[in-house]
């Protein structure tokens, strides 16, 4: 097959930005950010896909403002549920493959062992419900589609826990972080590299492996543990653990969202790194914190 054309949405986001680089090794990437393609505009999606005629669509765009979604559910569902369905229908029309990302927030978090793909879902918030509906819409379209569920995404750019914590570390002597929600931090580069590894053997090979996969670094922690790993052995700030009940948010979050990537690793022959190692690799690319910042 000739070098495939890859249509990438959400190219300005954490994962999308990384995918634009990682996927360029495997095809001609047409990278569209929010300004270039608004996934809330169904007609625009159809028009762009029919114009580009990609062999692979990678949807890294999403309405990711979890708390805002509670009061803006129509927008969240348009982007996270309707748009993936349209992309899947268009992929089917073109006999293209779709790669899409979903979330551990499709689960209710009542488990205490890592979730496999067939575990029952039960989203606790609008964001999770909209992402779950997106998974279903893709399934209904009947296209060759690979859906990667992940969680706790961070990177050196964008809006994420790592950057927020580094900013707070400069401003405060003590940071209070939720210590009773469990998950796994995922560097956006880890996700883009794993995605590229799945694409590397070719699109027919990928198409045969259509389905739902959990995609996360190895290991688990709490937001408090993640914060401690970020601050390291710096003398300040102190990182205090608090209960979820002490940090009320508009959206309820699952207490446990650890995902087992066993199916992905076995299917694609790819080993996900430990989250500590990924964090260290990300930090090694970032400018050092100013002196005295801890
Ligand atoms: N971030 C997480 O912790 C997390 C956790 C679990 C799963 N995921 C999933 O992982 C995937 C990648 O997320 P991410 O972490 O890279 O999120 P992100 O950094 O928030 O990026 C999402 C991108 O989508 C764009 N977007 C929002 N609304 C759009 C619209 N109507 N049309 C087109 N683009 C739009 C955003 O642009 P603007 O900023 O301009 O709006 C942003 O560039 C998503 O499917 C997300 O649901 C993320």
């Amino acid at each position: 097959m000739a070098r495939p054309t890859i249509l990438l949405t959400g190219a300005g986001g954490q994962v999308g930005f990384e995918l634009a680089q990682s996927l360029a090794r495997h095809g001609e990437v047409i990278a569209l950010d929010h300004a270039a393609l608004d996934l809330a505009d169904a007609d625009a999606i159809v028009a762009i896909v029919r114009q580009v005629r990609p062999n692979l669509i990678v949807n890294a765009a999403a309405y990711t403002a979890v708390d805002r979604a509670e009061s803006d559910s129509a927008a969240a569902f348009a982007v996270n549920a309707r748009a993936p369905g349209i992309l899947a229908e268009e992929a089917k029309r073109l006999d293209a493959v779709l790669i899409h990302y979903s979330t551990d927030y499709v689960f209710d978090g009542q488990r205490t062992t890592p979730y496999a793909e067939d575990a029952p879902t039960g989203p606790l918030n609008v964001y999770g419900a909209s992402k779950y509906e997106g998974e279903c819409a893709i399934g209904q379209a009947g296209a060759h589609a690979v859906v990667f569920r992940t969680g706790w995404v961070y990177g050196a750019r964008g809006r994420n826990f790592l950057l927020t914590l580094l900013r707070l570390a400069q401003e405060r002597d003590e940071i209070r972080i939720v210590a009773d929600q469990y998950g796994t931090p995922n560097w956006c580069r880890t996700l883009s590299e794993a995605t590229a590894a799945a694409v590397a053997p070719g699109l027919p090979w990928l198409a045969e492996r259509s389905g739902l996969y959990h995609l996360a670094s190895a290991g688990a922690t709490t937001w408090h543990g993640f914060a401690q790993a970020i601050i390291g052995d710096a003398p300040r700030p102190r990182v205090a653990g608090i209960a979820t009940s002490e940090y009320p948010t508009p959206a309820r979050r699952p207490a446990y969202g650890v995902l087992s990537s066993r199916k992905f690793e076995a299917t694609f022959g790819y080993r996900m790194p430990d989250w500590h190692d990924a964090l260290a690799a990300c930090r090694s690319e970032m400018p050092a914190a100013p002196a005295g910042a801890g």
Side-chain angles (χ1 to χ4, degrees), residues 13-15 34 37-39 61-62 64 79 101-102 127 131 150 153:
Q14 300 183 85
V15 177
H34 192 163
L37 175 60
D38 180 1
L39 287 197
T64 55
V79 178
Y101 298 87
S102 189
Y127 168 75
K131 294 292 292 185
T150 191
V153 180

Side-chain angles (χ1 to χ4, degrees), residues 55-267:
N55 308 103
L56 172 65
I57 300 172
V58 182
N59 180 31
Y63 187 112
T64 55
V66 175
D67 288 314
R68 186 156 28 102
E70 292 298 303
S71 53
D72 193 19
S73 65
F77 273 86
V79 178
N80 293 346
R82 189 182 57 175
I86 296 168
L87 288 170
E89 284 163 14
E90 292 301 310
K92 167 111 178 139
R93 239 181 122 254
L94 291 172
D95 201 24
V97 183
L98 172 67
I99 295 178
H100 174 77
Y101 298 87
S102 189
T103 172
D104 59 316
Y105 283 10
V106 299
F107 295 118
D108 66 8
Q110 292 303 302
R111 297 270 295 256
T112 52
T113 53
Y115 280 100
E117 288 77 0
D118 57 0
T121 56
L124 299 178
N125 57 45
V126 168
Y127 168 75
S130 69
K131 294 292 292 185
Y132 179 65
E133 202 167 297
E135 294 180 4
C136 296
I138 289 171
Q140 279 156 19
H144 296 302
V146 174
V147 176
F148 293 135
R149 281 188 189 140
T150 191
W152 294 22
V153 180
Y154 70 89
R157 51 185 296 290
R159 283 182 299 269
N160 62 65
F161 186 83
L162 169 65
L163 296 183
T164 301
L165 201 90
L166 290 174
R167 178 173 52 77
L168 291 177
Q170 310 230 21
E171 300 167 2
R172 301 188 186 174
D173 290 325
E174 184 184 85
I175 307 178
R176 289 156 54 81
I177 305 289
V178 169
D180 56 3
Q181 287 174 28
Y182 291 80
T184 308
N186 286 294
W187 184 22
C188 48
R189 176 83 54 80
T190 302
L191 302 174
S192 75
E193 287 297 311
T195 303
V199 170
L203 297 183
W205 189 86
L206 179 63
E208 280 171 23
R209 286 155 182 78
S210 291
L212 176 63
Y213 298 90
H214 288 175
L215 186 65
S217 269
T221 187
T222 63
W223 290 111
H224 178 252
F226 187 20
Q228 283 182 313
I230 293 166
I231 300 302
D233 52 13
R236 75 172 191 87
R238 196 175 92 81
V239 183
I242 60 169
T244 297
S245 56
E246 294 177 79
Y247 187 73
T249 53
R252 276 180 73 201
R253 283 158 170 81
Y256 185 89
V258 181
L259 302 173
S260 166
S261 300
R262 198 174 294 170
K263 180 183 171 194
F264 173 82
E265 293 188 333
T267 305

